[in-house]
Amino acid sequence: MKKLQFKVSINSPVARIYDFMLGITSKSTYEQWTSLFNPTSTYEGSWDKGTKILFIGVDEKGEKGGMVSRIAVNIPNQFVSIQHYGLLKADQEITEGPEVEKWANGFENYTFEKNKGITTVTVDLDTAEDFSGYMNETYPKALDKLKELCEK
């Protein structure tokens, strides 16, 4: 597993960024910035600590797929830690096997830090080797989209 880090500075209150990033008030804000990964990107579940959450999208065949995860930590407006432990393929949760092992126990962490009216969002991400190029290309664009949404 490869560790990646991405940062973006946003001229907006931390509470607004946290809300938009996670889609707390309106899931559409989450869907807008994550659409850079998949135009149908969404989630099912809750951001509450300890709960299961599915990060999903529809592939070119019209099948629902994505990640099976749990919220390891959620300190509102400060830190969110997501633990990925399975894959969703055609509505079936797969939590073991060779494909899952590439992702098993990978984390995606969001840190929110406020400094003089600017909020820095840091994303620390564990990813499978073969996805690192895609993540290095796509994550910065997605964070730019989040910045655009929050600064409106």
Side-chain angles (χ1 to χ4, degrees):
M1 195 130 19
K2 192 166 173 118
K3 294 193 176 297
L4 303 175
Q5 185 177 81
F6 306 99
K7 287 186 180 205
V8 64
S9 294
I10 303 174
N11 187 9
S12 192
V14 69
R16 178 178 169 92
I17 298 165
Y18 170 87
D19 179 60
F20 278 33
M21 190 170 193
L22 304 187
I24 303 291
T25 301
S26 171
K27 195 186 280 188
S28 71
T29 57
Y30 171 88
E31 292 167 345
Q32 286 176 63
W33 79 270
T34 60
S35 70
L36 279 287
F37 297 103
N38 178 323
T40 64
S41 181
T42 191
Y43 66 85
E44 291 176 6
S46 162
W47 290 96
D48 295 335
K49 181 182 175 180
T51 62
K52 179 168 83 171
I53 189 166
L54 303 175
F55 296 100
I56 53 177
V58 177
D59 68 16
E60 52 284 341
K61 295 181 219 148
E63 289 187 348
K64 196 172 8 173
M67 302 295 292
V68 179
S69 310
R70 78 174 184 86
I71 304 304
V73 178
N74 186 344
I75 303 167
N77 307 323
Q78 293 177 38
F79 182 72
V80 177
S81 180
I82 305 159
Q83 181 183 21
H84 302 298
Y85 66 88
L87 298 173
L88 186 72
K89 284 200 169 190
D91 265 344
Q92 187 172 11
E93 290 183 24
I94 304 163
T95 55
E96 54 189 31
E99 204 164 336
V100 173
E101 286 166 20
K102 287 196 258 181
W103 295 94
N105 289 314
F107 283 85
E108 187 170 343
N109 296 328
Y110 306 150
T111 305
F112 303 85
E113 295 172 293
K114 195 169 99 175
N115 186 11
K116 296 180 182 158
I118 302 289
T119 303
T120 300
V121 179
T122 303
V123 178
D124 290 294
L125 177 70
D126 297 325
T127 190
E129 285 288 334
D130 52 347
F131 266 84
S132 64
Y134 171 76
M135 288 298 189
N136 276 318
E137 185 179 318
T138 310
Y139 230 113
K141 293 175 186 172
L143 290 176
D144 285 345
K145 181 68 176 175
L146 177 67
K147 176 182 174 86
E148 180 188 314
L149 286 169
C150 293
E151 289 183 348
K152 278 185 182 176

mmCIF file of all heavy atoms in Angstrom, residues 10 27 41 77:
data_model
loop_
_atom_site.group_PDB
_atom_site.id
_atom_site.type_symbol
_atom_site.label_atom_id
_atom_site.label_comp_id
_atom_site.label_asym_id
_atom_site.label_seq_id
_atom_site.Cartn_x
_atom_site.Cartn_y
_atom_site.Cartn_z
ATOM 1 N N ILE A 10 -8.278 26.790 1.720
ATOM 2 C CA ILE A 10 -9.588 27.305 1.309
ATOM 3 C C ILE A 10 -9.946 28.513 2.163
ATOM 4 O O ILE A 10 -9.878 28.448 3.389
ATOM 5 C CB ILE A 10 -10.668 26.199 1.450
ATOM 6 C CG1 ILE A 10 -10.276 24.966 0.622
ATOM 7 C CG2 ILE A 10 -12.039 26.728 1.039
ATOM 8 C CD1 ILE A 10 -11.191 23.765 0.802
ATOM 9 N N LYS A 27 -26.159 16.145 0.738
ATOM 10 C CA LYS A 27 -25.259 15.162 0.134
ATOM 11 C C LYS A 27 -24.734 15.646 -1.214
ATOM 12 O O LYS A 27 -23.677 15.234 -1.677
ATOM 13 C CB LYS A 27 -25.981 13.824 -0.020
ATOM 14 C CG LYS A 27 -25.033 12.674 -0.301
ATOM 15 C CD LYS A 27 -25.754 11.380 -0.604
ATOM 16 C CE LYS A 27 -26.223 10.690 0.655
ATOM 17 N NZ LYS A 27 -26.759 9.341 0.360
ATOM 18 N N SER A 41 -20.594 9.442 -8.226
ATOM 19 C CA SER A 41 -20.098 9.225 -6.863
ATOM 20 C C SER A 41 -21.084 9.720 -5.793
ATOM 21 O O SER A 41 -21.611 10.821 -5.877
ATOM 22 C CB SER A 41 -18.770 9.971 -6.701
ATOM 23 O OG SER A 41 -18.253 9.783 -5.416
ATOM 24 N N ASN A 77 -15.269 19.208 12.346
ATOM 25 C CA ASN A 77 -14.466 20.390 12.022
ATOM 26 C C ASN A 77 -12.983 20.246 12.331
ATOM 27 O O ASN A 77 -12.238 21.227 12.264
ATOM 28 C CB ASN A 77 -15.019 21.647 12.711
ATOM 29 C CG ASN A 77 -16.489 21.849 12.431
ATOM 30 O OD1 ASN A 77 -16.963 21.586 11.328
ATOM 31 N ND2 ASN A 77 -17.227 22.278 13.432
#
